[in-house]
Amino acid sequence: MSQRHGEPPSPASSGIGHTCTAREVLDRVGGKWSIAIIIEASRRPVRFTELERTVEGISRRMLALTLRNLERDGLLTRTVHPTVPPRVEYTATEIARELYEALVTLTGWAERHRAAVAAAREAYDRRQGDRRC
Amino acid sequence: MSQRHGEPPSPASSGIGHTCTAREVLDRVGGKWSIAIIIEASRRPVRFTELERTVEGISRRMLALTLRNLERDGLLTRTVHPTVPPRVEYTATEIARELYEALVTLTGWAERHRAAVAAAREAYDRRQGDRRC
DNA sequence: CTGGATCCGCTTGGATACTG
DNA sequence: CAGTATCCAAGCGGATCCAG
């Protein structure tokens, strides 16, 4: 990551602008686990081990990394309760919850066209399969 | 790719459902170049070399690969004009254009909170910088 | 012009052991 | 419990050469 994410030169409406902002957000939540964590943390404060169980398939390392990044971007709040054993809770910020709202649009698209995409993919693969055999 | 993308077991409203559909679409367009290509192809039919110039930074290999995948998922239409030299045009399908509409919601989120995220990141980095030095 | 095939470095990410 | 540190494998992606 050699580039700071300050204000881009605002390439305006050439399509490049939309591309950049789109990539900006996708780089942030396009990770394999970000969405799942944001959704969980939007429902209630969650603890580390809790996420390790809930977000099925995630490794301890990736959980820690993703949490760090989300916290860094101000999407998660990390609260340490100085008890023993230590208790750390992660909560989605208002920004993150708004992000989730925005994502609903995308899931809507996925649900509407899931069948069509699957069909297209199958058709494509069948064509290729014929060519190769 | 060892897993077919058929109908998931529909885990309903436990948050897992949204996570899955969200990941489904992000896996499809979360690639480094998919969005840029979709946007370009939504504006007009585009040729291979044209994209190579427009989508700045993309390599020939990744352009070809991304085009294949998008075509496979029914998001792009590939039209070959049997001329010499060959002329191939890619066009966004209706589904892809709807996807772009959905993405606008996301870019809206990015634009609204860009400053906040940048600030959070800077604050976080400054805190860490102090600790490490 | 439009790609496919190959080589290879770099990053991503899993498994595990260790620390406070 | 809540992580960090280390090792290592798989795959993403760039560069290049070649073909239709």
Side-chain angles (χ1 to χ4, degrees):
Chain A
M1 211 71 72
S2 63
Q3 189 161 3
R4 292 274 96 178
H5 275 286
E7 301 297 314
S10 78
S13 56
S14 73
I16 301 182
H18 283 299
T19 303
C20 290
T21 42
R23 278 247 53 85
E24 191 176 343
V25 52
L26 285 180
D27 286 342
R28 188 154 295 115
V29 300
K32 207 173 179 181
W33 312 104
S34 306
I35 301 295
I37 292 179
I38 287 180
I39 291 182
E40 287 303 318
S42 292
R43 300 163 68 85
R44 69 196 176 286
V46 280
R47 302 179 57 179
F48 191 91
T49 337
E50 195 179 351
L51 284 170
E52 208 173 353
R53 286 191 307 268
T54 312
V55 183
E56 210 151 357
I58 196 173
S59 67
R60 187 165 294 180
R61 192 180 103 98
M62 284 317 292
L63 177 54
L65 275 180
T66 310
L67 287 174
R68 282 300 83 79
N69 285 329
L70 291 177
E71 183 197 357
R72 185 165 100 107
D73 286 345
L75 299 181
L76 287 187
T77 309
R78 180 171 179 270
T79 314
V80 182
H81 298 83
T83 63
V84 40
R87 177 187 187 86
V88 181
E89 284 183 333
Y90 294 91
T91 320
T93 62
E94 179 56 28
I95 291 182
R97 276 190 288 270
E98 281 187 39
L99 171 61
Y100 171 67
E101 301 292 331
L103 282 173
V104 171
T105 324
L106 269 202
T107 62
W109 177 87
E111 273 153 13
R112 275 201 309 280
H113 302 296
R114 173 178 302 177
V117 170
R121 194 178 279 211
E122 207 174 314
Y124 184 95
D125 289 352
R126 189 163 45 249
R127 281 196 298 275
Q128 299 309 311
D130 291 352
R131 287 193 176 278
R132 288 192 55 83
C133 290
Chain B
M1 212 72 73
S2 63
Q3 186 162 5
R4 292 275 97 176
H5 274 287
E7 302 296 314
S10 76
S13 57
S14 73
I16 302 183
H18 283 300
T19 305
C20 290
T21 42
R23 278 247 53 85
E24 192 177 341
V25 50
L26 285 180
D27 286 342
R28 188 153 295 116
V29 300
K32 207 173 178 181
W33 313 103
S34 306
I35 300 295
I37 293 180
I38 287 180
I39 291 182
E40 287 302 319
S42 293
R43 301 161 68 83
R44 68 194 176 288
V46 280
R47 301 182 56 180
F48 191 90
T49 337
E50 196 179 351
L51 284 171
E52 207 173 353
R53 287 192 307 268
T54 311
V55 184
E56 211 150 356
I58 195 172
S59 69
R60 189 163 293 180
R61 192 179 103 99
M62 284 316 294
L63 177 54
L65 275 182
T66 310
L67 286 174
R68 281 301 81 79
N69 286 328
L70 292 177
E71 183 197 357
R72 186 164 101 107
D73 286 344
L75 298 181
L76 287 187
T77 309
R78 181 170 179 270
T79 313
V80 183
H81 299 83
T83 64
V84 38
R87 177 188 187 86
V88 181
E89 285 184 333
Y90 294 91
T91 319
T93 63
E94 180 56 29
I95 291 182
R97 275 191 287 270
E98 280 187 40
L99 170 61
Y100 171 65
E101 301 291 333
L103 282 172
V104 170
T105 323
L106 270 200
T107 62
W109 176 87
E111 272 153 14
R112 275 199 309 280
H113 301 296
R114 173 177 303 178
V117 170
R121 193 178 281 211
E122 207 174 315
Y124 184 95
D125 289 350
R126 188 164 45 249
R127 280 197 300 274
Q128 298 309 310
D130 290 352
R131 286 194 177 279
R132 287 192 53 84
C133 291

